[in-house]
Amino acid sequence: MRKIGIMGGTFDPIHLAHLAMAKCAKEQKELDQIWFMPSKIPPHKREKKISSEEVRSILVKLAIQNEKDFIFSDFELLREEITYTARTLELLQKQFPEDLFYFILGGDSLFQFEHWYQPEKIMEKAVILAAGRDGVTKRELQKQADMLSQKFHGKVELFDMPEMKISSSQIREKIAHGEPVASYLPDKVYEYIMSHHCYQ
């Protein structure tokens, strides 16, 4: 049985905090692989303009190309529907019944989790791994994790990662204003964005 971590998101663009989160989760929870799974149409971003699937996929592949246990997955991109996490995990479990799935998210998302689509189904299909982020104390995070575990009869585990104040929206904004972003991005991702004039 493999222990598979799922890193979902628009990855518009993928940045160093995404990679740090994946590495910390993998090491601390002894996961076999991390699947980076760009969203097709995330429910909370239906009205927002996001980069093409092709560009986001290229950026993810460039970011993880030197990490042998980091795998690009187009599992959500191949579906024609809005990509709800609950549905994705349900389909993954059917396709890979021998594997154990861990859904990785930032501590900030843990406080929104009960408002997601079918949170009880997400926790039925995967262990939630939450990273401490954005100035939330470990105690507050643990309290939220315990509450969700009890409410939805699942398992939420915490892991540590370095404080990194990086977000995709900040990076897009900086690029649009001609500000430097090289320190936020893997080298190959930065080179691609600059040479293809993304987000400008």
Side-chain angles (χ1 to χ4, degrees), residues 17 22-23 42 52 90-91 137 150 155-157 167 173 199:
K23 284 177 184 172
S52 70
E90 188 176 27
L91 294 170
T137 68
Q150 287 182 336
K155 191 185 271 189
V156 180
E157 297 181 9
S167 76
E173 211 171 287
Y199 311 114

Side-chain angles (χ1 to χ4, degrees), residues 56-167:
R56 294 184 292 122
S57 297
I58 288 168
L59 295 178
V60 171
K61 288 173 184 175
L62 287 171
I64 65 175
Q65 64 184 7
N66 296 323
E67 301 284 346
K68 71 178 178 67
D69 296 322
F70 286 5
I71 313 293
F72 170 79
S73 170
D74 58 5
F75 194 82
E76 288 201 337
L77 297 178
L78 294 174
R79 284 158 50 207
E80 290 306 318
E81 58 201 18
I82 290 171
T83 46
Y84 291 109
T85 301
R87 182 75 179 132
T88 296
L89 289 167
E90 188 176 27
L91 294 170
L92 281 172
Q93 205 175 54
K94 279 181 184 165
Q95 197 166 324
F96 304 98
E98 300 301 313
D99 294 331
L100 191 58
F101 291 101
Y102 293 77
F103 190 75
I104 302 165
L105 45 75
D108 45 348
S109 297
L110 203 60
F111 290 89
Q112 310 298 324
F113 183 80
E114 59 188 317
H115 305 295
W116 287 19
Y117 177 74
Q118 296 185 330
E120 69 289 341
K121 191 171 276 187
I122 297 172
M123 292 187 73
E124 180 192 318
K125 306 293 181 191
V127 176
I128 304 298
L129 297 183
R133 277 184 74 185
D134 302 328
V136 182
T137 68
K138 193 86 179 269
R139 190 174 171 182
E140 288 172 310
L141 212 55
Q142 189 63 61
K143 189 177 173 185
Q144 181 71 3
D146 293 343
M147 184 277 286
L148 292 171
S149 299
Q150 287 182 336
K151 184 171 182 176
F152 298 115
H153 311 291
K155 191 185 271 189
V156 180
E157 297 181 9
L158 305 182
F159 66 96
D160 297 315
M161 71 171 280
E163 187 75 23
M164 299 175 79
K165 294 196 179 298
I166 309 174
S167 76

